[in-house]
Amino acid sequence: EFSVTSYSVPTGPTVAANGALAAVSGTYGSVSGSTSFTVSGQNLTAGILITPPPGFEVSQTPGGVSGYAATQTIGGAGTVASTTIYLRLAAGTSAGTYSGNVVCSSAGGANASVVVPDSDVLPRSLTISANNRTKPFGTTLSLGAGQTDFSATGLVAGETVGSVTLAATGGTSANDAAGTYFIYPSDATGGTFSPSNYNITYSEGQLTVTGVPFTNPAPASEPSSSRSEEHTSELQSLGN
């Protein structure tokens, strides 16, 4: 007589990821909208680590209540119920196209992944304007590369433009006539900004050359010969 005892072969940790991610897009310096998928696990010895491709960040809530971050860890040992994970492009991601796979991993188990389609970070609008300048007639004004007399509107907080090239339509030479000329900026460079992250618009400024102040000339003195003739004429009148 004998008996048969059933025996279940232990199952290792398993991670499952479900759902198709949509492409997202944003502008440099701002986060994109979000897209989502679900992840779950069984027989886990540790939580599930969610790792997006470079340029992206993940969260457990759409608005980021749990905090968007470079990675997220879901649950712990045992079973992790189906959990929604949200993905977006991070604000600090440079302009360009990004894609890859979100990898869901847990110790001892095979990874699960979700494809991220091509998603774009668009350049931010930036306007660089030459400042208005004034110079007196008879003086010179040196322009060219390495100029800092400009303003920049649209930079991401904390970023700077080091210098620009300035060129004028006239007025920089000592003998250029008094009047108004245009100053054109170009070739923004230096500082902490990256030109590839911006669509740059350049706006001209004005150079005003002021004229030489007008002064009335002093009256010319009469020639001595004229005064002598007047004096002689007066003596002759007295003698008659």
Side-chain angles (χ1 to χ4, degrees), residues 206-228:
Q206 290 187 342
L207 170 60
T208 302
V209 178
T210 56
V212 179
F214 177 79
T215 56
N216 290 319
S221 58
E222 295 180 340
S224 58
S225 59
S226 176
R227 291 197 301 271
S228 177

Side-chain angles (χ1 to χ4, degrees), residues 29-57:
S30 301
V31 298
S32 70
S34 64
T35 182
S36 65
F37 68 99
T38 61
V39 64
S40 60
Q42 293 181 335
N43 304 313
L44 302 177
T45 60
I48 302 172
L49 177 64
I50 312 297
T51 305
F56 294 88
E57 56 188 7

Side-chain angles (χ1 to χ4, degrees), residues 47-239:
I48 302 172
L49 177 64
I50 312 297
T51 305
F56 294 88
E57 56 188 7
V58 285
S59 175
Q60 297 177 51
T61 54
V65 175
S66 67
Y68 272 89
T71 62
Q72 292 280 340
T73 299
I74 310 301
T79 298
V80 172
S82 180
T83 302
T84 301
I85 302 298
Y86 298 88
L87 175 86
R88 71 184 185 186
L89 287 159
T93 302
S94 296
T97 300
Y98 298 83
S99 60
N101 293 291
V102 180
V103 177
C104 307
S105 60
S106 186
N111 295 343
S113 62
V114 182
V115 175
V116 180
D118 287 350
S119 297
D120 297 320
V121 176
L122 304 176
R124 189 181 185 91
S125 295
L126 172 63
T127 300
I128 293 180
S129 304
N131 292 341
N132 294 332
R133 304 280 291 272
T134 299
K135 83 169 188 69
F137 175 82
T139 63
T140 60
L141 176 63
S142 295
L143 298 178
Q147 303 293 312
T148 58
D149 205 3
F150 67 92
S151 62
T153 303
L155 285 168
V156 170
E159 294 191 348
T160 60
V161 176
S163 66
V164 299
T165 296
L166 295 178
T169 56
T172 57
S173 298
N175 293 326
D176 284 342
T180 301
Y181 303 85
F182 292 104
I183 304 173
Y184 291 98
S186 63
D187 300 328
T189 188
T192 60
F193 92 123
S194 175
S196 62
N197 286 329
Y198 294 90
N199 281 326
I200 304 176
T201 299
Y202 292 99
S203 179
E204 74 274 7
Q206 290 187 342
L207 170 60
T208 302
V209 178
T210 56
V212 179
F214 177 79
T215 56
N216 290 319
S221 58
E222 295 180 340
S224 58
S225 59
S226 176
R227 291 197 301 271
S228 177
E229 290 174 357
E230 290 179 0
H231 181 65
T232 302
S233 176
E234 289 173 355
L235 291 176
Q236 288 176 348
S237 296
L238 290 173

